[in-house]
Amino acid sequence: MKAVILGAGPAGVTAAETIRAHNPKARITLVGDEPHPPYGRMAIPYLLSGRIDEAGTHLRADPDHYRNLGITLKTGRALGLDAKARTLALEKGELAYDALLIATGAKPVKPKIKGLNLPGVHHCWTLADARAIAALARKGEPVVLMGAGFIGTIILEALALRGVSLTVVEQADRMVPRMMDAKAGALLKRWCQAQGVKVLTGTSIAGVEKGPKGLAVTLSTGKTIPAALLVVAAGVAPNIGFLKGSGVKAKQGLLVDAHLETSLPGIFAAGDVAQGLDFTTGALAVNAIQPGAVAQGRLAGLNMAGERVADRGQLAMNVLDTLGLVSASFGAWDGVDGGWRSAALDRDNFRYTRLEFLGDRLVGANLVGIGPHVGMVRGLIETGTRLGAWAKTLKRDPNRLPEAYVATLAGRRD
Amino acid sequence: MQRSLMIEPVKCTGCKQCEMACSMTHEGVFNPARSRIRVFEFHAEARFVPYTCTQCAQAWCQQACPVEAISVDAATGAKVVKEARCVGCKVCTIACPFGTVNYVRATGKVAKCDLCGGDPACAKACPTQAITYVDSDWTGLERMRAWAAKATATA
Ligand SMILES: Cc1cc2nc3c(=O)[nH]c(=O)nc-3n(C[C@H](O)[C@H](O)[C@H](O)COP(=O)(O)OP(=O)(O)OC[C@H]3O[C@@H](n4cnc5c(N)ncnc54)[C@H](O)[C@@H]3O)c2cc1C
């Protein structure tokens, strides 16, 4: 079997390893279009804050890992797909496949705002971006960050730890609006401001020009602020341009079934590029998170290797550390029809727990200032565990979730 | 022959010697808050449940890690955090459906049970044999593993 994996991020690498584990003879080629060993984008913030060097971002530590597994690494950009002939056109040459995985991830979008092509404006998405940012984000320099979504807020911490003078501009009314409710968002904002980061919510960037510090950023309020660097984190779009005319169906991402197969047989998709089954809604969604990319990559690999394994759906989940305040969100954090909620807010100590239930089952959560055992939230949601009398206890005090978990799932008498 | 921690809550008296031994072995301090095993107390029923990682086969934590900072100890089967590679991103802490990988602020990294390399301090410290280190076959761990399999969205 000739398996071609396009995209050398976590989804692609996991798929390649999974195919190898189930098929010692398959010919596996892993293609990426960046000139580095396969790396994890989500390690970039830790590269920027100086915790690791570039080798520390590599998905696999051993440089011989891929050779040892008999996985051929290839650098090249895909330009087109001929699904009938089962060939993938690269910049140089083409690759024939029996099974193809598209794991090309996403790319950051540049909003239509004047001046975003000026030098000093960067995304924070690739190692190349990280190098450019590191050169400009020097101690004390004024830096503006566009967007306080999940990825923007992670970048926020990395920039702040570099000691820049940071202003974050978010057009929504709060930070991480698609991950947290207003109470949680307000806690995060107040915390960041207490750490010396300026956070402007309900504000957008109207335009960018050259300025004395390099850039002059004009806000929707009319005010103009200087910047040596503007980092744009305003959303992403799937890398599917090369599939135009190929017949692979896409909406927000490549549509895949429970076996991670696209509308064309033999062609699979996983990770940020895929619109697959969402655990919470049962609909198809682009979840675009590391654990989801790995899980889908693994499932795609299994199915490509001939094991028919179905996805039960990926649970949306995120964890954030904003300068020491750790927060997380899971599943239906904003509630479901016919459900109920239990919430506890401790403003002074920056603690917030909001649990969402349907009947006596947990379906989602927002947590700020989290304590230990946070993964239990995932366990309870994905097992659909009936909490019985513990649901009443959690209604009174949502912070007793770990006890409820142990009592209902782990601590039962044999 | 693989061995596992067998936990029998009925035998636990809640003395917390396991937490003390664990934190001392790993962190050099007697501090239950730094222990990788935790005794849950259900006072109304006078019941105590020691709780830690089952070293599950799915290894959610290991799979989720973006920088290969969690690997399997070939000798014990334990999933072990390599501190030198861990960046502290915490993705494993939300990915583990058992909630047994935790972020440690003091180190900026995550920590979990590593079976002490094959000589678990908690089991040695337990005065009532509520925690023992035994052949994997008869730990009742199969029940936990079965649950893990059921829990998986992807197994
Ligand atoms: C700064 C930052 C922080 C993040 N932090 C977190 C976090 O804390 N938690 C979390 O869950 N997620 C986080 N993410 C998101 C996470 O990194 C992604 O969800 C994950 O990388 C998706 O993996 P993937 O394999 O689908 O895609 P990617 O990692 O994007 O890999 C796609 C690969 O495809 C290649 N490619 C694209 N187009 C082509 C083409 N035409 N031809 C050949 N190759 C191509 C790319 O070069 C790349 O190698 C973060 C992302 C960023 C940028």
Side-chain angles (χ1 to χ4, degrees):
Chain A
M1 196 221 0
K2 284 192 297 258
V4 170
I5 315 260
L6 186 65
V13 165
T14 306
E17 293 167 349
T18 306
I19 295 173
R20 174 56 75 228
H22 287 80
N23 184 340
K25 291 208 193 102
R27 276 173 50 198
I28 305 172
T29 309
L30 178 60
V31 188
D33 68 351
E34 292 182 57
H36 324 278
Y39 70 94
R41 304 204 182 291
M42 60 166 295
I44 287 173
Y46 307 95
L47 174 66
L48 284 175
S49 59
R51 178 166 271 213
I52 51 170
D53 58 13
E54 284 194 8
T57 69
H58 295 169
L59 287 165
R60 301 297 176 253
D62 179 0
D64 292 329
H65 175 77
Y66 303 95
R67 196 183 325 144
N68 292 343
L69 287 179
I71 293 168
T72 307
L73 278 183
K74 206 173 155 68
T75 308
R77 180 181 295 259
L79 299 178
L81 170 70
D82 184 341
K84 275 220 182 73
R86 298 204 162 217
T87 53
L88 189 68
L90 301 179
E91 272 165 331
K92 282 190 205 119
E94 54 179 39
L95 276 175
Y97 63 83
D98 300 311
L100 171 68
L101 176 69
I102 300 168
T104 47
K107 59 172 176 298
V109 295
K110 207 169 248 190
K112 287 196 176 60
I113 294 168
K114 205 175 112 251
L116 293 191
N117 290 319
L118 286 171
V121 181
H122 293 279
H123 294 297
C124 182
W125 195 253
T126 62
L127 281 181
D129 293 337
R131 290 174 188 169
I133 288 172
L136 292 169
R138 294 213 196 86
K139 208 177 168 91
E141 291 288 331
V143 172
V144 175
L145 171 63
M146 181 195 294
F150 174 54
I151 305 254
T153 301
I154 290 177
I155 299 167
L156 176 161
E157 176 177 83
L159 291 170
L161 290 175
R162 290 181 69 87
V164 304
S165 169
L166 183 60
T167 304
V168 184
V169 184
E170 165 60 51
Q171 62 182 17
D173 63 354
R174 63 176 186 271
M175 292 179 70
V176 282
R178 283 189 305 279
M179 167 182 164
M180 302 254 188
D181 69 14
K183 289 198 180 83
L187 283 183
L188 259 64
K189 178 174 171 178
R190 189 158 58 87
W191 176 273
C192 290
Q193 287 181 318
Q195 316 292 314
V197 177
K198 279 184 226 73
V199 182
L200 309 174
T201 48
T203 308
S204 52
I205 290 179
V208 185
E209 282 167 42
K210 283 194 178 151
K213 271 285 176 186
L215 299 167
V217 179
T218 301
L219 307 175
S220 53
T221 55
K223 200 178 162 198
T224 296
I225 52 177
L229 165 70
L230 170 64
V231 178
V232 178
V236 299
N239 281 319
I240 53 176
F242 69 101
L243 292 171
K244 217 167 173 195
S246 68
V248 182
K249 286 208 179 96
K251 280 188 183 156
Q252 287 95 293
L254 299 179
L255 299 171
V256 293
D257 64 16
H259 297 94
L260 283 300
E261 202 160 5
T262 66
S263 55
L264 298 181
I267 301 179
F268 297 75
D272 282 8
V273 77
Q275 188 176 349
L277 205 60
D278 179 76
F279 181 85
T280 300
T281 62
L284 299 184
V286 179
N287 266 331
I289 51 167
Q290 163 83 18
V294 171
Q296 288 184 333
R298 180 173 159 273
L299 279 162
L302 285 170
N303 284 287
M304 290 169 79
E307 314 263 324
R308 292 286 288 174
V309 183
D311 189 4
R312 284 183 51 208
Q314 298 305 317
L315 182 68
M317 53 185 181
N318 293 113
V319 59
L320 256 183
D321 191 340
T322 30
L323 300 165
L325 184 66
V326 183
S327 57
S329 94
F330 292 85
W333 58 268
D334 206 18
V336 291
D337 283 349
W340 56 278
R341 124 181 11 146
S342 172
L345 174 65
D346 178 353
R347 267 201 194 85
D348 295 341
N349 293 304
F350 293 91
R351 272 200 69 145
Y352 180 52
T353 304
R354 169 178 169 174
L355 304 179
E356 289 288 341
F357 297 86
L358 185 61
D360 63 350
R361 293 182 168 97
L362 185 69
V363 293
N366 262 175
L367 310 163
V368 181
I370 59 178
H373 310 302
V374 60
M376 288 176 175
V377 175
R378 179 188 189 180
L380 285 174
I381 295 174
E382 287 196 347
T383 51
T385 297
R386 304 202 51 180
L387 288 156
W390 277 97
K392 283 200 198 76
T393 308
L394 292 176
K395 191 169 196 170
R396 287 193 300 272
D397 183 359
N399 288 316
R400 292 183 66 184
L401 184 108
E403 283 167 79
Y405 175 101
V406 170
T408 53
L409 267 174
R412 274 183 303 227
R413 243 172 276 244
D414 278 318
Chain B
M1 174 194 66
Q2 202 93 18
R3 297 211 286 167
S4 314
L5 286 174
M6 176 161 74
I7 293 178
E8 294 169 275
V10 272
K11 295 187 185 170
C12 178
T13 60
C15 75
K16 308 212 167 189
Q17 289 297 319
C18 54
E19 294 185 354
M20 295 295 206
C22 179
S23 66
M24 190 62 205
T25 302
H26 290 102
E27 319 294 343
V29 287
F30 287 117
N31 178 359
R34 298 285 301 272
S35 171
R36 296 155 192 210
I37 186 164
R38 173 160 170 205
V39 180
F40 281 83
E41 304 176 8
F42 299 94
H43 286 295
E45 309 159 58
R47 205 158 77 88
F48 303 95
V49 183
Y51 185 70
T52 191
C53 171
T54 65
Q55 315 298 345
C56 73
Q58 282 77 11
W60 306 95
C61 57
Q62 184 187 6
Q63 287 188 41
C65 179
V67 293
E68 207 180 23
I70 300 178
S71 57
V72 182
D73 178 337
T76 62
K79 314 313 181 276
V80 179
V81 178
K82 280 192 205 131
E83 283 220 1
R85 272 195 79 81
C86 176
V87 295
C89 78
K90 310 169 192 68
V91 164
C92 58
T93 69
I94 58 168
C96 166
F98 302 97
T100 48
V101 194
N102 287 306
Y103 178 65
V104 182
R105 199 173 292 275
T107 58
K109 310 202 177 237
V110 296
K112 69 178 290 298
C113 170
D114 58 4
L115 294 176
C116 297
D119 189 16
C122 55
K124 276 193 295 190
C126 180
T128 58
Q129 294 184 325
I131 306 167
T132 47
Y133 192 52
V134 298
D135 280 12
S136 292
D137 296 344
W138 54 284
T139 52
L141 208 85
E142 283 319 309
R143 188 172 52 86
M144 281 299 275
R145 294 233 164 102
W147 177 80
K150 182 185 148 221
T152 117
T154 57

